Amino acid sequence: MRENPRFTYDAGGVIRADRKKRALALVFTGGYVSEELPRILDTFKAHDVKGSFYFIGDFLRTPDFHDDIRRIVDEGHLLGPHSDHHPQLVSWDRKETLVKKADLFRDLDGNFRALAPFGVRKEQISHWIVPFEIYTQEVAAWCEEYGCRIFNYTPGTLSNSDWMEDDNKNFVPTDRIYASILEAERKDPDGLSGFFLLMHVGAGPKRTDKGMRRFTELVSHLKAGGYKMATVEELLTPKEDEK
């Protein structure tokens, strides 16, 4: 598996793009709820920045979500795959692969079929984010064979905790999530450059402290800091003169 020396990898998946470019990707996944999506898109539009959205097939096939999904495409954001039915690919300790290669390929095929009505073709997508954000080197190799490599969120913040409901024992308040992003930026000599900052388009009614409560503030902070908010594909497919 060929790796880009400017990127950071874990088990065959890229977890951070070029640290020397002041750019990052705001990444959102969606499974079965979407209550935050209009607010996210309104914020992006107001600040003229782009995001990356990765949805499972079941989300894409839900008619109630179609207007917002079309808006993602119409407003120039990235729309990509997150599996068809959100299967767990590996054990929680990442020591055992739980699916067969043929099953993974079949699931991805289903996800791309669900993306097709929104104008997304497989050849447009070089990377995807796997269900539960856990995978093994074996799964990463299969994905490369399929033609769609793995990327994953950049460790160091709590941004991906915004899906937890109020009664989850590991619940993280939105203020703490936001503070963790600023803390990671302060501690890292390259700030948030190259980060894949993962969030969710909804957590459902059982999370009352909505994860997007401070999202506009976050985007404003990033813009003031000189970051370009690029799509995942822009970060991971550099121009010829940058390779």
Side-chain angles (χ1 to χ4, degrees), residues 106-142:
R106 191 177 301 112
D107 184 79
L108 271 169
D109 285 344
N111 201 173
F112 276 108
R113 281 195 298 272
L115 285 163
F118 301 100
V120 178
R121 304 185 309 275
K122 180 182 175 183
E123 55 267 27
Q124 295 174 299
I125 306 296
S126 67
H127 290 75
W128 73 302
I129 187 163
V130 301
F132 301 103
E133 293 78 57
I134 55 171
Y135 57 95
T136 59
Q137 188 86 41
E138 181 179 40
V139 170
W142 290 348

Side-chain angles (χ1 to χ4, degrees), residues 91-192:
S91 59
W92 293 115
D93 60 9
R94 293 174 51 157
K95 292 181 178 179
E96 181 184 3
T97 302
L98 302 178
V99 297
K100 296 179 180 179
K101 180 169 67 172
D103 295 330
L104 174 62
F105 286 9
R106 191 177 301 112
D107 184 79
L108 271 169
D109 285 344
N111 201 173
F112 276 108
R113 281 195 298 272
L115 285 163
F118 301 100
V120 178
R121 304 185 309 275
K122 180 182 175 183
E123 55 267 27
Q124 295 174 299
I125 306 296
S126 67
H127 290 75
W128 73 302
I129 187 163
V130 301
F132 301 103
E133 293 78 57
I134 55 171
Y135 57 95
T136 59
Q137 188 86 41
E138 181 179 40
V139 170
W142 290 348
C143 291
E144 182 170 28
E145 180 182 341
Y146 182 83
C148 197
R149 291 181 169 185
I150 293 172
F151 84 94
N152 205 5
Y153 66 86
T154 307
T157 82
L158 298 171
S159 71
N160 61 305
S161 302
D162 62 344
W163 62 271
M164 294 181 186
E165 298 173 345
D166 293 1
D167 60 356
N168 189 306
K169 66 178 181 179
N170 297 315
F171 176 84
V172 182
T174 295
D175 288 343
R176 178 70 188 103
I177 292 172
Y178 182 72
S180 78
I181 297 170
L182 302 186
E183 184 179 5
E185 182 184 26
R186 285 194 302 269
K187 289 183 175 180
D188 193 305
D190 298 311
L192 298 174

Side-chain angles (χ1 to χ4, degrees), residues 18-227:
D18 193 342
R19 296 168 176 260
K20 300 309 176 186
K21 293 182 181 178
R22 204 159 180 79
L24 76 160
L26 298 177
V27 181
F28 295 86
T29 57
Y32 299 97
V33 291
S34 70
E35 78 273 10
E36 300 279 33
L37 186 47
R39 186 192 311 199
I40 295 165
L41 292 173
D42 288 346
T43 299
F44 280 147
K45 187 172 185 178
H47 288 81
D48 192 24
V49 297
K50 302 304 178 188
S52 301
F53 296 86
Y54 293 84
F55 296 150
I56 69 172
D58 292 335
F59 186 101
L60 294 160
R61 286 184 289 267
T62 302
D64 287 348
F65 301 159
H66 285 180
D67 285 347
D68 286 332
I69 297 171
R70 292 190 188 97
R71 186 178 167 193
I72 287 170
V73 175
D74 291 345
E75 295 181 3
H77 305 291
L78 175 64
L79 180 63
H82 187 44
S83 80
D84 201 33
H85 300 297
H86 209 263
Q88 185 173 342
L89 304 180
V90 305
S91 59
W92 293 115
D93 60 9
R94 293 174 51 157
K95 292 181 178 179
E96 181 184 3
T97 302
L98 302 178
V99 297
K100 296 179 180 179
K101 180 169 67 172
D103 295 330
L104 174 62
F105 286 9
R106 191 177 301 112
D107 184 79
L108 271 169
D109 285 344
N111 201 173
F112 276 108
R113 281 195 298 272
L115 285 163
F118 301 100
V120 178
R121 304 185 309 275
K122 180 182 175 183
E123 55 267 27
Q124 295 174 299
I125 306 296
S126 67
H127 290 75
W128 73 302
I129 187 163
V130 301
F132 301 103
E133 293 78 57
I134 55 171
Y135 57 95
T136 59
Q137 188 86 41
E138 181 179 40
V139 170
W142 290 348
C143 291
E144 182 170 28
E145 180 182 341
Y146 182 83
C148 197
R149 291 181 169 185
I150 293 172
F151 84 94
N152 205 5
Y153 66 86
T154 307
T157 82
L158 298 171
S159 71
N160 61 305
S161 302
D162 62 344
W163 62 271
M164 294 181 186
E165 298 173 345
D166 293 1
D167 60 356
N168 189 306
K169 66 178 181 179
N170 297 315
F171 176 84
V172 182
T174 295
D175 288 343
R176 178 70 188 103
I177 292 172
Y178 182 72
S180 78
I181 297 170
L182 302 186
E183 184 179 5
E185 182 184 26
R186 285 194 302 269
K187 289 183 175 180
D188 193 305
D190 298 311
L192 298 174
S193 296
F195 259 60
F196 303 112
L197 205 59
L198 175 63
M199 293 163 277
H200 298 82
V201 297
K206 293 184 179 180
R207 181 182 178 101
T208 55
D209 184 20
K210 295 300 183 182
M212 292 301 106
R213 181 167 56 80
R214 301 191 66 175
F215 183 61
T216 298
E217 187 178 351
L218 172 62
V219 172
S220 296
H221 170 81
L222 294 172
K223 285 193 74 173
Y227 293 99

